[in-house]
Amino acid sequence: MAINPSPSRGGGGYNYPLDKKITNPFGFSAFFNQYKLHSEFQPVVYLSTGEIYGVEALTCPSLNGKPLDPQQWFRSAWERGLSADADLKALETALSTLHNAPSKIKISNIFVNVMASSLNDSRFITELCNQLHKHGIKSDELIIEIVEYVEFNPGEIKEMVKQLRSLGIRVAIDDCKTLDKTRKTLVELEPDFVKMDKSIIGHIHDSYFKQTTLVRVVEFVKGYGKIIAEGVERAEEREVIHKCGVEMGQGYLWAPPLSIEELEPMLQV
């Protein structure tokens, strides 16, 4: 059954627009003082078996019962220097939802998107640890997924990443499109996971260039991290990326982002 994405149901990672000149039509007060958040979850699966490895938590904001574009909500916070506030609120929503899930649901690996600018906020690690303790989530169950939609200097967040790792928290790099653009980030941060952008994965079975790009990243990351292919929608894509050396995938081929209730049948132990 085909499922069409909507603004509140992402396809496995957001593509945040970056034009800082765009005016936020909803207004600052509406975005940050009146909004409501809920989380949906998309499974990350092993390509060979379809077994679920973990989930990515996706944030879905709404205002007065009307869904808002997550891209616009996060962009609004980033433009105003409030990326950490937005990321911590999104994290709180995801962890709270999982904490209150039925006991028969067990998730060992939780991917949560975080903007690199949030890692430079002195409050971030302290509040993150408080949230993990509050919701009974072990630090080694959390994977901070650093989005690359805004250019950043990986050297500036290297020490923060080390602190996260010292707590047992793992790190992923999101939205990887080419090795040339991501090489410095991979060398500096040595992430546990690298997520290949859906722009590379889509129709990869028809593109030698995309296959070559993927193989280069797989070879570069081999030995210290794992590759996750985002936006997998077709069996042909799964077959090709598996042959290229990718171990895990995420996308509509297996499931769209789901509510915790919809996810429950897939995660019962």
Side-chain angles (χ1 to χ4, degrees):
M1 177 177 68
I3 304 176
N4 296 319
S6 70
S8 64
R9 298 177 79 100
Y14 301 130
N15 290 323
Y16 299 81
L18 294 179
D19 189 352
K20 297 180 68 174
K21 298 179 181 179
I22 295 177
T23 301
N24 176 2
F26 297 98
F28 174 76
S29 177
F31 255 75
F32 246 76
N33 297 325
Q34 301 175 28
Y35 68 89
K36 292 184 178 180
L37 298 182
H38 75 274
S39 295
E40 293 183 346
F41 304 90
Q42 189 170 38
V44 175
V45 306
Y46 287 104
L47 297 178
S48 58
T49 64
E51 178 185 357
I52 294 177
Y53 172 78
V55 297
E56 178 181 352
L58 299 168
T59 302
C60 307
S62 63
L63 181 63
N64 299 325
K66 179 182 178 181
L68 302 179
D69 188 342
Q71 300 172 357
Q72 199 164 37
W73 188 82
F74 279 100
R75 179 181 64 200
S76 174
W78 174 70
E79 288 177 349
R80 292 166 173 82
L82 295 172
S83 58
D85 296 78
D87 281 335
L88 286 168
K89 290 178 186 297
L91 185 64
E92 167 76 18
T93 302
L95 298 184
S96 175
T97 302
L98 292 171
H99 176 72
N100 294 318
S103 59
K104 55 189 171 183
I105 292 181
K106 180 173 176 55
I107 301 174
S108 299
N109 301 289
I110 307 160
F111 293 81
V112 179
N113 289 322
V114 170
M115 293 175 267
S117 50
S118 297
L119 297 181
N120 286 322
D121 192 301
S122 59
R123 301 167 299 155
F124 187 82
I125 283 191
T126 299
E127 296 197 23
L128 169 60
C129 290
N130 289 339
Q131 288 191 23
L132 290 173
H133 178 74
K134 175 182 177 181
H135 298 297
I137 306 293
K138 297 177 181 178
S139 59
D140 61 4
E141 295 176 331
L142 182 66
I143 301 155
I144 294 295
E145 191 171 316
I146 303 172
V147 294
E148 286 203 308
Y149 67 89
V150 174
E151 288 189 10
F152 65 93
N153 182 349
E156 294 180 354
I157 63 170
K158 187 173 182 178
E159 289 305 312
M160 183 67 78
V161 168
K162 286 183 179 179
Q163 289 185 51
L164 291 172
R165 284 217 174 89
S166 72
L167 297 170
I169 298 170
R170 288 165 291 168
V171 175
I173 299 300
D174 197 17
D175 309 320
C176 178
K177 296 180 176 66
T178 67
L179 181 58
D180 293 338
K181 291 187 66 175
T182 314
R183 187 189 303 271
K184 182 178 180 181
T185 301
L186 299 180
V187 170
E188 290 276 5
L189 303 183
E190 296 187 2
D192 303 279
F193 302 91
V194 175
K195 283 194 163 187
M196 293 301 300
D197 191 79
K198 57 188 177 183
S199 63
I200 294 296
I201 302 304
H203 296 281
I204 193 171
H205 54 291
D206 293 326
S207 172
Y208 177 75
F209 171 78
K210 289 183 177 183
Q211 292 173 37
T212 302
T213 297
L214 180 58
V215 169
R216 288 184 65 204
V217 176
V218 169
E219 289 298 317
F220 192 83
V221 173
K222 185 184 299 183
Y224 67 82
K226 298 182 183 297
I227 305 290
I228 299 173
E230 289 191 301
V232 183
E233 297 183 355
R234 303 165 183 85
E236 296 91 338
E237 293 166 354
R238 175 183 60 187
E239 181 179 351
V240 169
I241 61 180
H242 195 206
K243 287 182 178 178
C244 289
V246 176
E247 185 176 352
M248 291 181 282
Q250 176 182 348
Y252 278 65
L253 180 63
W254 299 281
L258 302 170
S259 68
I260 198 68
E261 293 80 13
E262 294 170 321
L263 190 66
E264 181 179 344
M266 304 177 68
L267 294 173
Q268 291 181 12
V269 295

